[in-house]
Amino acid sequence: MAGVQETQLYCLADRTYYDTPGRLRDRATRYRLALGAPPAGWRREERGLWTALRPEGGRLPEQGWKIHVSAVPEEAEATLADVARVCLERRVAFKFLRSADALLVVSGKYMGRGSSGKFVTVYPRDEDEFLLLARELSALLDGRRGPYVLTDLRIGTAPVYARYGAFVELWCRDGSGRAVPALRDPSGELVPDRRDPVFRVPSWVTLPAELRPHLAAREAAVGPFPYTVREVLQFSSAGGIYLAEHRESGERVVLREARPHAGLDAAGDDAVTRLRRERWALERLAGLDCVPRLHGVREVWEHTFLVQEHVEGVQLFGEVIRRYPLVHQDCGPSELAAYAAWVDGVVAGLAAALDAVHGRGVRYGDLHPANVVLRPDGSVVLVDFEYADELGSSRVPRAGAGGLHAPAGLCGADADRYMLWATWLFMLMPLTELADLDPGKPAGLERRAREWFGLGAGAGPARPGAATTRMVDRSPLEGPEFDRVARELIAGIHAGATPDRPDRLFPGDPAGFADGGTGFAHGAAGVLHALHRVGAPHLDDYADWLVAALRRAGRPCGGGLFDGPLGAAAVLARVGRAAEAAEAVERVRGEAPAPTAALFGGRAGAALARLRLADALGSARELADAVEDGRALAAVVRGEYVPGLAAPAGAGLLYGWAGIAFAQLRLYQRTGEDWLLVSGRAALTRARAQCVTAPDGSVQVLDGGRHLAYLDRGSSGIALVAQEYAALGDEGWDGFLAGVRRVCAPGFVREPGLFRGRAGLLLALDALGGTAVRDAVLGQVRNLEWHLVARPEGLLVPGMRLRRFSADLHTGAAGVLLALHEIGGKGLLDALTAG
């Protein structure tokens, strides 16, 4: 699943679906070198946001020393022209960000630190040419500005940087089974090309002597600093936020780091500009209890640090998650009333804090639950004043968390008061991101919140602009009209299909781009499976796309059922494309097996996919390979060392021991070999050992302090497997299953998806409870209306993190469609796993 920063990046190109940044609509700001015919004797290639120029007849080495050049937007065109002139004269391949908009994206606040700041990349043919170009470009660009490329070593004082890395696209799998860029070590093995935000050289590479003075200068530039960092609170391309202690006094402070020219926001301001704004605000607000004290500002190396008071307390966002009562199935009136009273108290404190800030002539501009600290006595402190401004400013704040930002037309105190209302709504119904997808959602969420918490019309803060903002409440699921809803979901899936695109067929989670849009979890295979399972017609064009995509796939071919070509082949076989399925299997035969044991990304998934293929194709070879996978899994379950195969850390169905138990069970049922059943039972026992019973009697997975119930990592997925073992006569599962059943019908579920949302929980509730819980199941179905958005083309489903819509099986419409179809049916686990 994509991380928070990657999710933000995949929201840039399209307002409806997650999409690759390369489809950014930036034609108007393209650099001249990216337009028209390429220079004579050169080839131009487009990849994502990058344009590459390579001399005809030239061939890049696989890897070596590369040069990165950074730039600020106002100097970018001139910097590109200078670098291009050198590279064209010397016939050295290079690539560059294609437009001013692309540069803003890569330099943005939410860009990963490892790639932030890179504007031009130069690919020297050998080390001598690298050193020559490094000297020449460093001298040529001296005096130019650009953000520091954190993965690299700076050459001199110019924005010119160097690192050893891959030149061509090579891929391998890291220790967790993810596909990552690769280097080739001296033995020929592909190993991860690490791009952490720190300069490092692979163990087999010697740092050229000419670079050693630059490394020494970097290490000497840091200098003394009176604070010791104790904890990293947040990282972004703009810098970090750290909990630190003064070396002499021991006083705890918060350091807010700002990198020059980095972390550009929607207004084009960099991190240092925003830090200066925060300093201004804290000085203006000095003495207010609701604002941290400013200790000062320090320059260290090239970075600026604002030093402020460390406020003892908890973040409001985390406290809402901890206290929120509707995640508990047995939440009653007293719990609801107590929580509503707590919300009233917090909102009153926030209103008073805003009044105090406004009284000093300051507009806060960025109120949301992650920017509020609650002291132990319950009083509130506002933090992060990067977007503060004069109260009378007419500028609309350019900040705000998803769904919580002030709408166009509101500025000054009204903008802050709108964010206060949105924060209040978030505390009652933490789904405010949906407002960005459908302006009618907040009205419905507010009405539901008032009903649940027994709030009158006058409760809560006023919403500025309410009289002029059109709010339309849509309720696509007013009852269990499954046929109608299924038709509209199918229509929405068809409407989002893009068979003309080679990189994806259906919009889904950003993770789907990692396997070329083919996978079962996030790609075409999973959507095709769901459509076929529900009996949707006219799927041949989609199957054709999947076949073509598998043929052109160039990334690692390992993985498991959910993220590799074996899972996609299993779906093709299921929909009547046996020959193409067999072809896909042959292309990956002999590939190194997955390094993890799970269903997702691992050997259990490969075993299950091969078993599906053996049945669909009548292939004894696939069955034999599946059994061999089962043997390796059995060894892992016994705790034996298996070269290249790591035991799962988790417990759940997709990523843990329960997935191994399920794969071994299906292999046992196919072969009758008892050792598989013994292995599966042992794996299931290990999954159960990671579960705990909460005070309300519910059973959930305990994972790093989190309690998990969802199908992918939580107890509901384990319970579905345990139920099948119990049907074979295994005893002692009744209490466990009853405890899991208690967690499958909470009042509130944040996301709708199949494997990590309401759709999966309602399926588990149905399977574990049967007809006795049918009313509760239908209630969960009706509650899907919070998330589904009715549009003329059909029903759309918000994906992970609710920022854009998704059609995939794991997070989106295909999963919801499959869930509605499988209610009351048999063979649920097979339906979830390409059966």
Side-chain angles (χ1 to χ4, degrees):
M1 219 66 62
V4 175
Q5 290 180 337
E6 188 177 3
T7 299
Q8 295 274 13
L9 189 62
Y10 279 78
C11 290
L12 296 171
D14 195 308
R15 297 289 299 173
T16 301
Y17 299 114
Y18 294 113
D19 209 343
T20 174
R23 296 182 71 86
L24 186 72
R25 295 174 176 86
D26 62 347
R27 187 78 182 178
T29 68
R30 296 280 178 99
Y31 296 121
R32 287 190 294 273
L33 195 59
L35 299 171
W42 288 75
R43 293 181 294 113
R44 178 188 288 134
E45 298 175 3
E46 303 290 339
R47 176 162 295 184
L49 294 174
W50 296 87
T51 295
L53 285 173
R54 297 181 180 179
E56 291 181 353
R59 186 173 181 179
L60 287 177
E62 276 192 344
Q63 60 199 45
W65 286 97
K66 65 176 72 173
I67 296 171
H68 289 121
V69 177
S70 67
V72 295
E74 55 268 31
E75 297 176 0
E77 187 103 48
T79 294
L80 174 58
D82 287 341
V83 176
R85 184 175 65 255
V86 171
C87 291
L88 292 172
E89 288 174 355
R90 297 189 177 279
R91 296 188 63 76
V92 176
F94 66 104
K95 70 176 183 180
F96 57 92
L97 288 171
R98 68 194 189 192
S99 68
D101 286 347
L103 178 59
L104 288 175
V105 167
V106 172
S107 302
K109 285 184 68 176
Y110 302 110
M111 193 68 185
R113 287 160 63 84
S115 54
S116 174
K118 296 174 183 176
F119 175 49
V120 185
T121 305
V122 180
Y123 299 99
R125 283 172 283 254
D126 53 38
E127 188 171 299
D128 288 341
E129 188 171 63
F130 156 69
L131 293 172
L132 175 67
L133 285 167
R135 289 192 298 269
E136 185 172 358
L137 291 174
S138 180
L140 178 65
L141 301 177
D142 196 32
R144 297 278 174 84
R145 296 169 296 153
Y148 201 106
V149 179
L150 296 174
T151 56
D152 290 27
L153 178 65
R154 173 178 262 173
I155 308 301
T157 57
V160 176
Y161 306 85
R163 73 178 288 266
Y164 189 95
F167 284 15
V168 299
E169 191 174 88
L170 300 172
W171 295 87
C172 67
R173 292 192 178 268
D174 64 10
S176 65
R178 294 178 304 134
V180 295
L183 289 170
R184 197 178 301 279
D185 70 12
S187 72
E189 180 182 355
L190 293 177
V191 298
D193 182 9
R194 297 184 61 181
R195 299 178 183 186
D196 305 325
V198 60
F199 176 68
R200 60 163 52 92
V201 179
S203 59
W204 66 87
V205 175
T206 301
L207 184 73
E210 194 167 326
L211 297 187
R212 291 173 189 165
H214 301 295
L215 181 59
R218 171 180 172 139
E219 293 170 346
V222 176
F225 191 48
Y227 297 98
T228 300
V229 173
R230 296 301 184 194
E231 182 182 350
V232 177
L233 303 178
Q234 179 181 311
F235 264 146
S236 74
S237 68
I241 302 175
Y242 311 92
L243 177 63
E245 289 182 1
H246 194 279
R247 295 183 188 276
E248 295 181 358
S249 69
E251 182 181 13
R252 288 156 65 91
V253 298
V254 170
L255 305 176
R256 300 180 66 89
E257 176 190 28
R259 297 177 56 221
H261 316 305
L264 304 184
D265 61 17
D269 293 335
D270 72 351
V272 175
T273 299
R274 294 193 301 276
L275 185 140
R276 292 185 184 126
R277 191 183 297 136
E278 180 158 17
R279 177 180 185 174
W280 164 82
L282 294 181
E283 289 175 343
R284 175 80 71 90
L285 301 172
L288 295 181
D289 289 340
C290 59
V291 175
R293 294 192 311 276
L294 175 66
H295 291 301
V297 173
R298 287 181 172 269
E299 302 288 336
V300 179
W301 187 31
E302 300 181 5
H303 298 185
T304 304
F305 289 83
L306 184 145
V307 186
Q308 67 181 40
E309 171 194 7
H310 171 248
V311 179
E312 294 289 345
V314 295
Q315 188 188 63
L316 176 58
F317 182 87
E319 193 67 1
V320 169
I321 294 173
R322 188 182 73 82
R323 288 175 176 259
Y324 195 70
L326 286 166
V327 296
H328 303 294
Q329 190 166 323
D330 57 355
C331 172
S334 60
E335 289 85 3
L336 293 172
Y339 181 77
W342 175 75
V343 170
D344 284 345
V346 172
V347 170
L350 288 173
L354 289 179
D355 286 343
V357 169
H358 296 164
R360 297 282 183 92
V362 175
R363 183 204 67 201
Y364 181 29
D366 197 14
L367 176 60
H368 58 80
N371 279 350
V372 177
V373 174
L374 300 177
R375 288 195 178 99
D377 64 3
S379 60
V380 304
V381 179
L382 306 177
V383 298
D384 192 350
F385 282 81
E386 288 186 340
Y387 290 97
D389 204 343
E390 296 283 356
L391 186 62
S393 171
S394 60
R395 290 185 297 176
V396 175
R398 303 296 293 272
L404 295 169
H405 45 76
L410 289 182
C411 54
D414 278 346
D416 281 352
R417 293 188 185 108
Y418 180 91
M419 293 181 187
L420 175 64
W421 171 83
T423 299
W424 168 78
L425 181 58
F426 174 89
M427 295 171 72
L428 297 174
M429 286 288 283
L431 297 170
T432 48
E433 294 93 334
L434 295 175
D436 292 337
L437 300 177
D438 182 359
K441 284 297 180 185
L445 295 177
E446 181 177 356
R447 185 171 64 249
R448 175 57 65 91
R450 291 184 185 278
E451 292 171 357
W452 262 349
F453 291 99
L455 304 178
R463 174 163 57 90
T468 59
T469 302
R470 180 174 178 263
M471 292 289 182
V472 180
D473 182 27
R474 298 181 178 94
S475 299
L477 274 180
E478 296 176 349
E481 303 170 20
F482 290 177
D483 290 343
R484 175 182 63 83
V485 172
R487 287 195 303 270
E488 293 184 12
L489 285 169
I490 292 170
I493 291 170
H494 286 321
T498 53
D500 57 317
R501 287 181 56 167
D503 59 338
R504 73 136 194 242
L505 175 57
F506 300 103
D509 190 83
F513 289 103
D515 58 13
T518 62
F520 188 71
H522 300 299
V527 181
L528 183 59
H529 166 73
L531 292 173
H532 175 73
R533 184 94 182 182
V534 305
H538 311 305
L539 303 181
D540 286 346
D541 288 347
Y542 296 159
D544 289 344
W545 186 96
L546 181 55
V547 169
L550 288 172
R551 286 172 176 165
R552 62 176 172 260
R555 296 207 172 182
C557 292
L561 171 70
F562 285 86
D563 63 335
L566 288 175
V571 171
L572 285 174
R574 186 68 62 187
V575 301
R577 307 295 286 266
E580 291 97 332
E583 175 193 330
V585 172
E586 285 304 314
R587 279 199 305 274
V588 302
R589 200 175 298 283
E591 291 286 337
T596 62
L599 279 181
F600 198 115
R603 197 76 63 88
L608 191 56
R610 290 188 173 106
L611 183 61
R612 304 282 189 227
L613 288 160
D615 291 340
L617 303 176
S619 171
R621 183 174 185 180
E622 294 309 318
L623 179 59
D625 287 347
V627 172
E628 283 306 304
D629 285 332
R631 292 189 190 281
L633 293 170
V636 169
V637 173
R638 291 192 300 268
E640 299 173 7
Y641 171 69
V642 180
L645 183 58
L653 179 64
L654 263 59
Y655 303 97
W657 293 105
I660 296 175
F662 177 58
Q664 301 293 64
L665 176 62
R666 286 293 181 266
L667 286 170
Y668 162 74
Q669 291 170 329
R670 182 67 170 76
T671 67
E673 298 189 25
D674 288 339
W675 62 269
L676 285 161
L677 189 59
V678 171
S679 170
R681 284 171 172 155
L684 190 58
T685 298
R686 297 187 72 162
R688 182 176 183 171
Q690 294 188 33
C691 296
V692 295
T693 301
D696 64 1
S698 65
V699 172
Q700 301 178 62
V701 170
L702 180 62
D703 183 353
R706 301 176 300 164
H707 290 80
L708 307 177
Y710 295 128
L711 286 182
D712 63 344
R713 300 178 185 271
S715 57
S716 63
I718 299 171
L720 293 179
V721 180
Q723 188 177 48
E724 292 211 15
Y725 277 84
L728 293 179
D730 288 17
E731 298 179 350
W733 288 104
D734 289 349
F736 176 84
L737 296 177
V740 174
R741 192 181 301 117
R742 289 183 60 83
V743 80
C744 290
F748 176 83
V749 181
R750 179 163 160 75
E751 294 180 357
L754 179 60
F755 285 101
R756 199 177 298 177
R758 188 181 294 279
L761 288 179
L762 71 86
L763 267 188
L765 178 66
D766 180 63
L768 297 174
T771 57
V773 297
R774 183 51 53 90
D775 287 345
V777 170
L778 296 182
Q780 293 295 307
V781 172
R782 283 189 291 270
N783 284 342
L784 281 171
E785 72 176 81
W786 304 347
H787 297 94
L788 306 187
V789 173
R791 291 197 174 180
E793 63 268 31
L795 281 177
L796 303 186
V797 178
M800 192 67 69
R801 297 191 174 90
L802 309 179
R803 299 299 306 279
R804 295 290 186 269
F805 296 110
S806 168
D808 72 30
L809 186 76
H810 193 301
T811 69
V816 173
L817 174 66
L818 185 65
L820 295 177
H821 180 265
E822 296 300 324
I823 292 173
K826 303 295 183 182
L828 173 58
L829 278 173
D830 290 316
L832 298 177
T833 55

